[in-house]
Amino acid sequence: MSTDQTRDKYCFFIISNDDLVEPPQSSELQQTFVKGSLEEKKKALKTLIKMISNDDNYPRLLMPVLTNLQLLQDHELKKILFLYWEVVEKVNLDGTVKDEITLACNALRKDLLSPNEYIRGRTLRLVSKIGIKSILENLVQAVIENLGHRHFYVRRNAIMCIYSIFTNTGTELIEDCVDQIEALLINETDLSTKRNAFFLLFHLAQDKALTYLRTVMSAGDDPVQEMGDIFQLIVLEMLRKLCKLEPTQKQRLMNAIFALSNSKSSSVLFECANTITQLTTAPTAIKIAIQSYLNLLADQNDNNVKLIVLNKIIELRGKYAKLLEEYISDILNTINEDQISSLDINQKVLELTTDLASSRNIKEIIAFLEKEIVRARKMDESGDQAATTNEYRYMLIKSVNQLTQTFPETIPSFLRPLMDSFLMFDNRSSFTSLETILFIREVIEVHQEHRQAIFDKICDSFEDIRAHLVIRVALWILGEYASSQKDVDKAFETIKRNIGALPIFAPATEQTGEESKEAASAPSGPKTMTKTIILPDGSYGQETIIIDDPKAKQLLQKGGAPSEDNFPLRRALINTEDDYVSSCLAITLTKLAIKAKKNLSSRYSQLSVDSILIICALLKGHAKKRYDPDSKSRMQLCLRVLSNPNGLQSLSSVESVLVDQGRKVFAKFLESHSKLAQVQGASSMRKKGGKGEEALLITQPDEGIVFRQLKGRTGATDFDITEELSGDGGAGSEDFLGDIRKEIDAKIYQLTGYSDPIYAEAFVEVHHYDILLKILVVNRTTKTLPNVTLELLTQGNLKLVEKPLSISGLRALSSQTLKASLKVNSTDNGAIYGYLTYDSASGNIPNIVNLSEIQIDFINELQPADCSELDFKKKWADYEWENKVQINTPATDLRTYVDYFAKCLNVKVMTPITEQDEASGFLVCNLYTKSKFEEDCLLNMSIEKVVNGTDGGRITGLIRVRAKTEGMALCIGDKCKTVK
């Protein structure tokens, strides 16, 4: 089979023909071309182009178009004719050029030599889209003559036409024009034409192109700026290709690349940095690339550009972390000090900063984060800015948490700014305050040297804490870590002061007649005034000012103390629906009283009485608040403990649990959940001389050594031929090809049977938001099948973007590959189905071969990801789509089932499973995964082992799936049902 027959059919444009109700007949169009007016001919030619571009064929109209339209001098018709010559089929079924096209070459040759520069340039663009050698042989001399044309538009298109001829036919037709191209490159004044000429000369004669480049680089005071940005970009591209093809010349060519790094163009600077990182690993060169990236971060105002540059820097982090540590201050300057321009930028900068933290730059990072914590406290929380501000605060506390895990000595530097700035936010920023207090709780347990300072600070700032979730943790800290009697008294006075006067809940009393008259005559609400103000970002907003509040006046006249109702603890007890605050308060007061008793303090009786009064006041509010039974029983238990000073045997064990067991359970929890505790434990082991962990880092003497130089060119990547291959080069090499074959086989779908006239199979490639189908079509018959067409239809959230091209003739026992592109927007499952058609011998009724359905299951594209416990809770509260799946499996081991489930769904288990969990026969764990479309999926599994008399038992339970979109929740839920 000739190369022309195997050549792909390219489509340069597609025009919709939806406005055509009925396709015209060939005879109708021919009659219009012969006898119609000029406007009718234009309209008929446009209709013909529409039909041909949509896979219809009108081979008999070539000669009428050539004889009746080509010789007309109308410019609009000329433009339409250029489109026609692009889309029309130029070869017969056997691959030979049609006779009409050979005649048309004479007309094209005249247009190539036309006095009108537009016609010349447009004809050159048409010729560049023709890849048939026998046609180009008749036109190549006329194309070369255009290199000397006076207008740069013609010269530019002539160069690109010659490059197209070179890519399609090689140097056979254009080997005599190298000198002309070199002369054009030297004398050309148009920058775009000069760029194209260098590009072409580099492919035809590299030595001459490099000689010209060396001459340009050595001439002038600032040769880089004289080149122009588009010329510099093509020079970079050519040098990069040359370095990969001929590594021996890399050292000589790198000097030119380093010179281009001084360019003032942002695009050149970016490409230059990319080229350096791909070609070399020398520290001096990498520093030049890093500096180029940082210059772009400093100069560019577009957030999208900054994100791209930050991603490039993050890619360098794995290999060049030591070099990046020196530029940490420049990276931190990317965060805008005036306002939060992009959360994504700030997040990437903070993540990069925590990863690059070292003993050399930790002081700079601490100073920056301290300043950002103080600045974040004062940020605007009005309107749409509130969510952005809260999210940034949350990022800061997460960064502090990660830094203190690596550098525990930085904890004192962060404690005071955090406790001064991040504990007093209300419920709108409760996640920031909660993450802060949880971090403080972890520090106070792991690092005893900071315990007293943290305890005193919480007592002093307790009245500033507003969120009820934070108050609960703060109460637990006061109850657990008040060891001395001085601390007990201080904690109790802090709590009592913030509760205020008893009773906590106002009694329901009847008003006197005089008071009722005052209430009736009083205004219903405060008087307000609204005015327009200018916000910090320059936009307009409204501010409401309270001029007169009658209720406040009445309280002041009666001698009331309205400030007492503003105590956050008292307000949380009265207003919030969280009953656990009341039970936490009761338990904390009981702990403090028991500790006073153990300390033999004389204030034990007073503390017990005050605690009993407070708990009784809480229980009196039961009728109003309606506590849940668990909270109520806890408060009643605390009353029993406090009201029996001598202590029964059963109550003494309760006292022991309250005082002693809390911190022990929390310490055990931190051993498996806290990295800070793990780091502290490893540090203490090193101080004691433990070497168990270090022994794991010793390289074994029988491990294989990989020499990259002996692996050949296949051992290096396409992007970096000089990089040392990291990892175990020989480990698992025997199974590598087997794994690849398994992965390929899993993506191949058989569409038709072996006995069908046409056998078809599809290879599915799932990219980020696209699906590429490669369909292999094989003619199983001994005859040529004309007009083979593949029609595809989709179901679900799939959209066909690019249809497969039709095959004009599929020769006997031959094959051809078709391509189709589909767009996907979410993780919903979809299906692809369709049929193949080809013309019958009579040509009246086409033959149809139905295709098997292709099921697209995006579960295979899920990627296990990390998610902190607080992030999991936050997303669980935000996501509204939930799917519940029942579990009933004959499996008997809880841990084995959870691991099997995680492997089947490709999710990550977030909750550590202990032996105690397995022994209890009941297990609750969280799982997390993320799709290729960056969609989160949260799973909560509650299972138990049910033992029956007939068999060994079963595992039953419930899985709750939560996601941001309905499709994701349903898709994961359906997959959970298939796991047995």
Side-chain angles (χ1 to χ4, degrees):
M1 188 178 293
S2 65
T3 56
D4 288 342
Q5 289 173 305
T6 59
R7 177 179 50 85
D8 290 335
K9 180 180 177 182
Y10 294 103
C11 179
F12 297 100
F13 62 87
I14 296 178
I15 303 175
S16 174
N17 60 350
D18 295 339
D19 55 339
L20 296 176
V21 179
E22 183 178 354
Q25 297 295 325
S26 178
S27 58
E28 297 177 4
L29 294 175
Q30 183 176 356
Q31 188 70 16
T32 305
F33 291 152
V34 175
K35 298 182 179 180
S37 63
L38 182 61
E39 294 299 326
E40 290 175 346
K41 291 180 180 180
K42 293 178 184 178
K43 185 176 180 181
L45 185 58
K46 290 179 180 178
T47 302
L48 179 59
I49 293 173
K50 287 182 180 180
M51 301 306 298
I52 295 177
S53 65
N54 287 275
D55 295 336
D56 289 330
N57 200 2
Y58 291 84
R60 297 180 180 178
L61 292 179
L62 269 171
M63 188 56 70
V65 171
L66 186 62
T67 56
N68 296 284
L69 303 181
Q70 185 66 40
L71 299 179
L72 297 178
Q73 298 301 318
D74 184 76
H75 283 191
E76 183 180 357
L77 182 62
K78 205 76 172 177
K79 294 178 183 178
I80 302 173
L81 275 171
F82 285 134
L83 298 178
Y84 173 74
W85 293 122
E86 284 187 22
V87 300
V88 71
E89 184 64 42
K90 302 174 182 63
V91 294
N92 299 310
L93 292 179
D94 59 356
T96 59
V97 179
K98 293 183 178 181
D99 296 335
E100 295 88 345
I101 298 298
T102 304
L103 294 175
C105 290
N106 295 325
L108 293 178
R109 190 184 302 108
K110 291 181 181 180
D111 290 338
L112 286 172
L113 302 177
S114 171
N116 188 317
E117 59 269 10
Y118 172 77
I119 294 179
R120 281 201 183 201
R122 188 63 185 83
T123 310
L124 286 167
R125 292 175 60 186
L126 171 61
V127 175
S128 66
K129 298 173 183 178
I130 300 175
I132 304 171
K133 184 177 180 180
S134 55
I135 298 177
L136 296 174
E137 288 175 347
N138 301 322
L139 304 174
V140 66
Q141 291 302 323
V143 172
I144 294 175
E145 289 182 18
N146 284 282
L147 291 174
H149 194 271
R150 58 182 176 80
H151 202 283
F152 66 86
Y153 175 73
V154 178
R155 298 194 300 271
R156 181 197 310 158
N157 284 283
I159 292 172
M160 297 314 298
C161 184
I162 293 174
Y163 176 73
S164 177
I165 295 173
F166 164 72
T167 56
N168 288 311
T169 65
T171 59
E172 180 182 351
L173 300 179
I174 56 173
E175 57 186 357
D176 298 333
C177 66
V178 176
D179 295 335
Q180 289 182 255
I181 297 173
E182 184 181 11
L184 174 64
L185 176 62
I186 295 173
N187 301 320
E188 183 58 55
T189 56
D190 179 65
L191 189 59
S192 179
T193 308
K194 198 179 189 72
R195 177 254 185 210
N196 294 349
F198 179 81
F199 179 74
L200 178 59
L201 186 63
F202 184 87
H203 286 84
L204 296 179
Q206 285 186 5
D207 295 338
K208 293 185 177 182
L210 294 177
T211 301
Y212 169 77
L213 181 61
R214 194 180 303 111
T215 304
V216 172
M217 297 291 290
S218 60
D221 297 334
D222 194 0
V224 174
Q225 304 306 326
E226 294 176 1
M227 290 184 186
D229 53 352
I230 59 174
F231 189 82
Q232 295 173 32
L233 287 174
I234 197 61
V235 168
L236 272 174
E237 182 181 351
M238 296 302 104
L239 292 177
R240 180 168 60 243
K241 289 182 178 180
L242 187 59
C243 286
K244 291 180 179 180
L245 293 175
E246 301 181 16
T248 56
Q249 300 188 32
K250 186 176 70 172
Q251 186 62 36
R252 180 169 60 90
L253 299 175
M254 287 301 296
N255 293 329
I257 298 176
F258 292 151
L260 291 174
S261 63
N262 298 322
S263 175
K264 296 181 181 179
S265 171
S266 300
S267 56
V268 176
L269 206 60
F270 180 75
E271 290 298 330
C272 187
N274 290 345
T275 302
I276 292 174
T277 57
Q278 293 172 14
L279 295 178
T280 182
T281 58
T284 54
I286 298 300
K287 286 183 178 181
I288 294 175
I290 294 173
Q291 190 60 54
S292 299
Y293 286 138
L294 295 175
N295 291 339
L296 287 173
L297 284 178
D299 297 338
Q300 293 296 316
N301 295 324
D302 190 349
N303 290 335
N304 294 322
V305 176
K306 289 186 176 182
L307 283 173
I308 293 172
V309 175
L310 281 172
N311 287 332
K312 288 294 181 181
I313 296 177
I314 291 173
E315 291 177 4
L316 298 178
R317 176 185 56 192
K319 296 180 180 179
Y320 310 108
K322 292 294 183 182
L323 297 179
L324 285 171
E325 290 174 5
E326 303 176 6
Y327 300 93
I328 195 68
S329 58
D330 296 323
I331 296 174
L332 292 174
N333 290 334
T334 306
I335 295 182
N336 192 344
E337 295 186 358
D338 299 329
Q339 59 182 356
I340 302 176
S341 58
S342 173
L343 271 179
D344 294 333
I345 293 177
N346 291 6
Q347 182 179 5
K348 289 183 181 295
V349 170
L350 291 175
E351 290 177 355
L352 188 61
T353 301
T354 54
D355 291 339
L356 297 178
S358 66
S359 57
R360 296 185 297 174
N361 56 26
I362 189 62
K363 292 183 178 180
E364 296 181 44
I365 297 175
I366 291 174
F368 171 80
L369 289 177
E370 287 179 354
K371 182 184 67 174
E372 285 299 302
I373 289 170
V374 175
R375 186 173 72 92
R377 175 188 177 184
K378 303 176 182 178
M379 284 183 177
D380 183 22
E381 294 186 11
S382 60
D384 298 335
Q385 191 68 19
T388 304
T389 301
N390 295 336
E391 191 67 27
Y392 181 57
R393 290 169 178 168
Y394 183 62
M395 292 178 188
L396 285 174
I397 182 59
K398 286 178 63 178
S399 300
V400 171
N401 199 347
Q402 294 176 11
L403 277 176
T404 51
Q405 292 170 7
T406 310
F407 301 95
E409 64 274 9
T410 62
I411 291 176
S413 303
F414 289 124
L415 279 178
R416 184 165 294 277
L418 283 176
M419 298 180 73
D420 288 341
S421 302
F422 279 7
L423 283 181
M424 70 291 300
F425 296 129
D426 55 14
N427 291 327
R428 292 178 299 175
S429 302
S430 60
F431 277 104
T432 303
S433 299
L434 182 59
E435 180 74 5
T436 303
I437 197 67
L438 292 178
F439 168 71
I440 292 171
R441 184 186 67 175
E442 189 175 336
V443 171
I444 199 173
E445 171 60 30
V446 176
H447 297 276
Q448 300 182 8
E449 63 273 16
H450 307 306
R451 187 168 295 171
Q452 189 62 43
I454 294 174
F455 182 87
D456 294 339
K457 183 62 179 177
I458 290 179
C459 290
D460 295 338
S461 59
F462 190 87
E463 59 188 20
D464 296 328
I465 301 175
R466 302 178 185 178
H468 63 94
L469 296 175
V470 183
I471 290 175
R472 283 176 9 189
V473 183
L475 287 172
W476 185 87
I477 292 175
L478 293 180
E480 287 293 336
Y481 297 98
S483 54
S484 64
Q485 186 57 37
K486 180 180 178 182
D487 294 339
V488 171
D489 294 340
K490 187 174 183 178
F492 193 88
E493 291 300 326
T494 299
I495 295 173
K496 186 177 178 181
R497 183 174 66 252
N498 283 274
I499 291 176
L502 300 178
I504 299 175
F505 299 92
T509 57
E510 296 183 0
Q511 292 182 338
T512 62
E514 187 175 341
E515 289 177 348
S516 60
K517 290 180 181 179
E518 290 181 4
S521 61
S524 58
K527 296 180 180 179
T528 61
M529 180 181 70
T530 303
K531 67 176 184 178
T532 302
I533 61 172
I534 299 177
L535 300 175
D537 60 353
S539 60
Y540 291 96
Q542 289 187 340
E543 182 181 37
T544 302
I545 302 174
I546 299 176
I547 301 176
D548 186 15
D549 191 349
K551 292 183 179 180
K553 284 185 177 180
Q554 291 177 5
L555 287 173
L556 292 174
Q557 289 173 0
K558 294 178 181 180
S563 60
E564 191 173 270
D565 293 333
N566 293 329
F567 290 154
L569 177 56
R570 186 184 184 92
R571 191 165 59 246
L573 294 171
I574 297 174
N575 299 328
T576 63
E577 300 296 330
D578 187 4
D579 299 338
Y580 198 54
V581 176
S582 300
S583 61
C584 282
L585 175 60
I587 292 174
T588 300
L589 294 174
T590 306
K591 287 180 183 179
L592 294 175
I594 294 173
K595 289 185 176 182
K597 177 183 177 182
K598 289 189 174 183
N599 293 333
L600 303 178
S601 173
S602 58
R603 296 201 62 218
Y604 165 68
S605 300
Q606 183 64 38
L607 293 180
S608 299
V609 172
D610 292 342
S611 299
I612 291 173
L613 291 176
I614 294 174
I615 296 174
C616 289
L618 293 174
L619 289 173
K620 277 188 177 180
H622 171 67
K624 291 186 177 182
K625 292 204 63 173
R626 296 185 180 180
Y627 293 117
D628 64 274
D630 185 40
S631 298
K632 183 179 179 182
S633 62
R634 289 188 181 189
M635 289 187 283
Q636 290 174 346
L637 177 62
C638 292
L639 277 181
R640 291 184 60 193
V641 173
L642 294 173
S643 59
N644 288 272
N646 298 325
L648 301 175
Q649 184 66 28
S650 58
L651 294 181
S652 62
S653 61
V654 173
E655 291 180 2
S656 176
V657 170
L658 287 176
V659 177
D660 301 329
Q661 296 299 319
R663 282 174 56 185
K664 292 181 180 179
V665 173
F666 180 59
K668 188 175 182 180
F669 169 80
L670 290 181
E671 290 178 1
S672 58
H673 289 73
S674 170
K675 293 183 179 179
L676 190 63
Q678 295 170 5
V679 170
Q680 182 70 8
S683 176
S684 61
M685 283 290 293
R686 285 194 295 269
K687 291 179 181 178
K688 295 178 181 179
K691 298 181 180 180
E693 294 293 332
E694 296 178 1
L696 298 176
L697 303 177
I698 299 177
T699 303
Q700 299 299 324
D702 58 345
E703 288 186 5
I705 301 175
V706 179
F707 296 93
R708 186 188 62 81
Q709 290 81 358
L710 302 180
K711 292 177 68 65
R713 290 188 59 80
T714 58
T717 62
D718 183 44
F719 295 101
D720 191 358
I721 60 173
T722 62
E723 293 290 347
E724 293 294 338
L725 297 180
S726 59
D728 296 332
S733 59
E734 297 178 357
D735 299 332
F736 176 71
L737 291 179
D739 294 340
I740 292 296
R741 291 192 189 98
K742 290 180 182 178
E743 184 178 356
I744 292 176
D745 292 341
K747 297 180 180 180
I748 293 178
Y749 298 85
Q750 183 177 340
L751 303 180
T752 61
Y754 294 111
S755 60
D756 289 324
I758 299 178
Y759 172 76
E761 65 180 21
F763 180 74
V764 181
E765 293 183 8
V766 180
H767 301 285
H768 194 65
Y769 286 102
D770 302 293
I771 297 177
L772 178 62
L773 287 182
K774 295 181 180 178
I775 303 102
L776 175 65
V777 180
V778 182
N779 184 359
R780 304 277 293 177
T781 67
T782 57
K783 298 179 181 180
T784 300
L785 301 179
N787 295 330
V788 179
T789 304
L790 176 63
E791 292 291 340
L792 294 177
L793 303 172
T794 60
Q795 182 181 5
N797 202 2
L798 298 174
K799 181 180 179 182
L800 186 63
V801 177
E802 181 181 350
K803 297 194 302 182
L805 298 176
S806 299
I807 306 173
S808 57
L810 187 60
R811 298 171 75 83
L813 303 177
S814 65
S815 64
Q816 194 163 340
T817 301
L818 304 177
K819 295 181 181 179
S821 296
L822 297 96
K823 196 76 172 178
V824 60
N825 296 321
S826 69
T827 322
D828 298 355
N829 288 337
I832 304 171
Y833 57 96
Y835 54 90
L836 274 167
T837 63
Y838 61 94
D839 291 347
S840 60
S842 61
N844 296 327
I845 302 176
N847 295 310
I848 300 176
V849 180
N850 291 321
L851 304 179
S852 300
E853 188 177 273
I854 302 176
Q855 290 288 341
I856 304 297
D857 189 0
F858 292 103
I859 296 299
N860 299 327
E861 308 301 327
L862 292 178
Q863 303 168 347
D866 292 324
C867 181
S868 66
E869 184 179 356
L870 195 62
D871 282 338
F872 191 94
K873 292 180 180 179
K874 184 179 179 183
K875 292 177 180 179
W876 188 271
D878 294 340
Y879 295 167
E880 57 182 5
W881 293 104
E882 181 173 323
N883 191 6
K884 296 181 180 180
V885 180
Q886 298 290 336
I887 300 176
N888 190 357
T889 175
T892 57
D893 187 84
L894 297 178
R895 180 193 290 270
T896 304
Y897 177 74
V898 172
D899 294 339
Y900 174 73
F901 180 86
K903 183 179 180 181
C904 291
L905 261 70
N906 205 16
V907 298
K908 183 175 182 180
V909 181
M910 307 297 298
T911 307
I913 302 175
T914 62
E915 295 180 357
Q916 184 178 359
D917 295 331
E918 292 186 80
S920 64
F922 181 82
L923 178 63
V924 178
C925 63
N926 296 328
L927 303 99
Y928 180 76
T929 187
K930 185 178 290 187
S931 71
K932 274 193 172 183
F933 313 108
E934 298 299 323
E935 293 179 329
D936 299 316
C937 184
L938 315 176
L939 295 92
N940 176 261
M941 178 186 292
S942 301
I943 55 178
E944 64 176 335
K945 182 178 178 181
V946 179
V947 180
N948 299 324
T950 57
D951 54 9
R954 302 179 66 86
I955 292 180
T956 61
L958 179 69
I959 299 177
R960 299 173 63 189
V961 181
R962 283 205 180 182
K964 197 172 184 179
T965 60
E966 181 183 10
M968 184 75 167
L970 294 175
C971 182
I972 301 296
D974 294 340
K975 191 69 176 180
C976 292
K977 295 177 182 178
T978 62
V979 180
K980 298 296 182 182

